[in-house]
Amino acid sequence: MNTAEVILVPVLSDNYAYILHKGDQVAVIDPGQPEPLIYELDNRDLTPSVILNTHHHSDHIAGNKALLDKYGARLVAPESERARIPGINKAVKDGTIIEFADETIEVIDTPGHTSGHICYHLPQSKILFAGDLIFAMGCGRAFEGTAEELYASIEKIKALPAETEIYCGHEYTLSNAEFCLTVEPDNDELIARHKEVKQYRDNNLPTIPTTLEKEMQTNVFLRAKSAEEFADIRQKKDNF
Ligand code: ZN
Ligand code: FE
């Protein structure tokens, strides 16, 4: 069985939006800005039928309206964010299943960064759109939740298959790696990955996607063994 194609589209200063494509189905994830997406879609002759939002922050939704108007797409977003995300056509929550080509996209509630944050998981293609929950070697700030909530959300993602590809909302990888090294200076995989992402960024290349397996080896937030340890690392990162 073939897997869905993901096209990474840099938007704003350090955000990534994504085009998900399989068969004749096209989705856009977290359009923080419309123009770069319209450019990529039109270039490839793709027409999205659905837009997926992970959370209400404007760097993830500001392009919704332009894309909905231009392509007549439907907007899928968290049910609990009806008041903060205009124009929702299909409100979703934990366990909602969205059909996409010959596979499914499953919604996972992952509160903490914002109260209504969700992730989109394609179990068949082994793809996760993580929004601002997990970054390469990092995780989102607990803006609207406690560190404990964020930890619980990340634990859910850790239960997915290790080979799952993670597509996150920002290119924060190099500074995240530098922070991780302050927590685990002797982690060989982390040392090697830091060198590798430095090269990528020096050449202006994206470091995304990552995989759950790589994150388990190098992301100090996923490596925390308790909510307390996680909260302590989250606080250190806030002051890094
Ligand atoms: Zn955010
Ligand atoms: Fe963001």
Side-chain angles (χ1 to χ4, degrees):
M1 193 156 343
N2 57 339
T3 55
E5 175 193 18
V6 181
I7 300 156
L8 173 147
V9 183
V11 300
L12 303 170
S13 58
D14 55 31
N15 277 80
Y16 290 131
Y18 298 100
I19 298 167
L20 176 68
H21 178 213
K22 190 175 194 187
D24 59 358
Q25 292 264 73
V26 180
V28 170
I29 294 90
D30 280 357
Q33 187 188 16
E35 296 84 0
L37 286 156
I38 290 171
Y39 179 83
E40 283 295 333
L41 288 161
D42 290 356
N43 231 350
R44 294 163 194 261
D45 213 7
L46 296 175
T47 303
S49 59
V50 62
I51 293 169
L52 308 172
N53 290 160
T54 59
H55 66 296
H56 78 277
H57 285 156
S58 73
D59 61 316
H60 300 254
I61 72 166
N64 282 354
K65 189 172 183 324
L67 296 181
L68 295 171
D69 289 350
K70 182 172 167 71
Y71 300 107
R74 288 161 56 74
L75 179 61
V76 173
E79 181 165 65
S80 57
E81 297 295 2
R82 280 190 182 282
R84 298 196 288 191
I85 301 179
I88 298 178
N89 298 110
K90 182 178 170 63
V92 296
K93 59 174 195 284
D94 204 54
T96 304
I97 290 174
I98 301 158
E99 301 205 357
F100 186 79
D102 60 352
E103 56 182 301
T104 56
I105 303 176
E106 303 187 6
V107 176
I108 306 172
D109 277 348
T110 50
H113 176 66
T114 65
S115 58
H117 192 290
I118 59 176
C119 293
Y120 295 97
H121 179 222
L122 282 77
Q124 212 169 293
S125 284
K126 296 197 169 68
I127 288 169
L128 181 79
F129 294 102
D132 288 357
L133 173 68
I134 292 175
F135 301 123
M137 291 177 276
C139 78
R141 281 176 190 258
F143 281 129
E144 296 177 4
T146 59
E148 286 69 25
E149 252 180 304
L150 204 48
Y151 178 74
S153 293
I154 290 172
E155 287 291 295
K156 287 192 197 176
I157 301 307
K158 284 164 68 174
L160 300 179
E163 61 268 38
T164 303
E165 291 193 320
I166 300 177
Y167 293 85
C168 59
H170 291 269
E171 178 62 64
Y172 294 156
T173 311
L174 184 56
S175 70
N176 283 343
E178 282 159 9
F179 172 74
C180 284
L181 279 170
T182 68
V183 180
E184 286 194 41
D186 301 324
N187 178 333
D188 290 337
E189 274 125 356
L190 175 56
I191 292 165
R193 194 174 177 201
H194 172 252
K195 281 204 190 99
E196 184 187 87
V197 299
K198 174 98 175 58
Q199 267 173 13
Y200 271 68
R201 296 310 296 149
D202 283 348
N203 293 300
N204 221 7
L205 294 169
T207 60
I208 305 304
T210 178
T211 63
L212 184 56
E213 183 174 30
K214 276 199 220 176
E215 295 312 307
M216 295 300 289
Q217 290 168 344
T218 57
N219 185 329
V220 294
F221 295 99
L222 273 69
R223 292 167 65 76
K225 286 176 186 61
S226 65
E228 294 69 37
E229 189 185 338
F230 175 87
D232 180 57
I233 296 171
R234 186 58 263 176
Q235 199 184 347
K236 286 199 180 97
K237 178 67 164 66
D238 289 344
N239 302 312
F240 180 66

